Amino acid sequence: MLRSLCSVFLLVLVKTICAFLYDTSLYVPKHLDFLLSQSNLTRDIFNDYDATLSPIYTKNDPTKPIGYDPESPKRWNYTILLYSLKLVEVIEPEEKVSVVMEIMEYWYDPRLTWNRSLYDDVDFFYTRQTNVWSPTLSAFGVNDLIDFRDQDFRLVCVENLLEQMWMVNSDAR
């Protein structure tokens, strides 16, 4: 009786260990193909990409009206959205307010485009913020602006729609 009970326990233990070690995402060919396409895409896009160089078109004549040159790009758009705002602290005598906010930014970088059909129809990918150029955010009338995210979680979504998204969690004081 004890022997059969030990056999059943050992069998359950072995099945549990096998189930724990088996990760289906590692064995799905479609997922592996996607990872290979994404790897090729990021390798090709960032091959000659310089994250310190701004994509803003500056070959405009400031003495002429915007849009005078039909062959030049239109205005450079930068969109910022307040995603959430949380009041943390109010100190009335010092006239100080602390908030935690999440913002989303969208901007245009024509260097980060690709032919979808060459990369298995990948529309977007995530990469570290340091890999791409991003606008500098400067808040007016703010004493302190802190990004609480760990460096590993500062990600940018690069979309093939010619727009990049950047999300910040910060404490404005």
Side-chain angles (χ1 to χ4, degrees):
M1 176 72 178
L2 182 60
R3 190 173 199 180
S4 67
L5 187 58
C6 286
S7 300
V8 169
F9 176 76
L10 183 61
L11 182 62
V12 169
L13 182 64
V14 167
K15 283 190 174 201
T16 303
I17 290 172
C18 289
F20 177 76
L21 294 177
Y22 181 74
D23 183 2
T24 56
S25 68
L26 297 176
Y27 303 100
V28 177
K30 189 174 183 178
H31 188 225
L32 292 175
D33 290 344
F34 166 76
L35 292 174
L36 178 62
S37 296
Q38 181 176 273
S39 176
N40 291 337
L41 170 61
T42 55
R43 182 196 65 229
D44 293 347
I45 280 189
F46 292 122
N47 186 29
D48 293 324
Y49 185 85
D50 184 359
T52 63
L53 183 63
S54 167
I56 300 171
Y57 184 80
T58 59
K59 206 173 172 186
N60 293 319
D61 186 351
T63 63
K64 295 184 180 176
I66 294 174
Y68 74 92
D69 184 1
E71 294 179 8
S72 71
K74 303 303 176 214
R75 287 185 185 207
W76 190 82
N77 288 324
Y78 171 69
T79 306
I80 184 167
L81 303 168
L82 180 61
Y83 188 69
S84 70
L85 179 70
K86 179 181 177 183
L87 181 64
V88 176
E89 178 182 33
V90 176
I91 304 172
E92 286 186 49
E94 297 177 25
E95 296 182 359
K96 182 178 177 182
V97 177
S98 295
V99 296
V100 173
M101 64 181 170
E102 291 180 290
I103 58 172
M104 293 184 354
E105 300 174 77
Y106 294 90
W107 65 90
Y108 172 77
D109 191 339
R111 301 170 295 173
L112 298 174
T113 60
W114 61 91
N115 183 344
R116 290 180 59 231
S117 63
L118 297 177
Y119 300 100
D120 200 25
D121 293 329
V122 173
D123 286 322
F124 63 92
F125 62 90
Y126 294 93
T127 187
R128 291 180 189 255
Q129 180 184 343
T130 56
N131 291 341
V132 299
W133 177 88
S134 60
T136 302
L137 185 64
S138 299
F140 177 75
V142 174
N143 293 338
D144 201 9
L145 189 63
I146 303 168
D147 194 341
F148 288 115
R149 296 172 300 159
D150 186 336
Q151 193 68 27
D152 293 336
F153 297 108
R154 296 179 187 185
L155 296 178
V156 176
C157 176
V158 179
E159 298 179 63
N160 198 23
L161 301 173
L162 304 179
E163 293 182 345
Q164 285 70 49
M165 182 178 75
W166 180 44
M167 191 169 195
V168 164
N169 299 328
S170 50
D171 178 17
R173 295 176 190 218

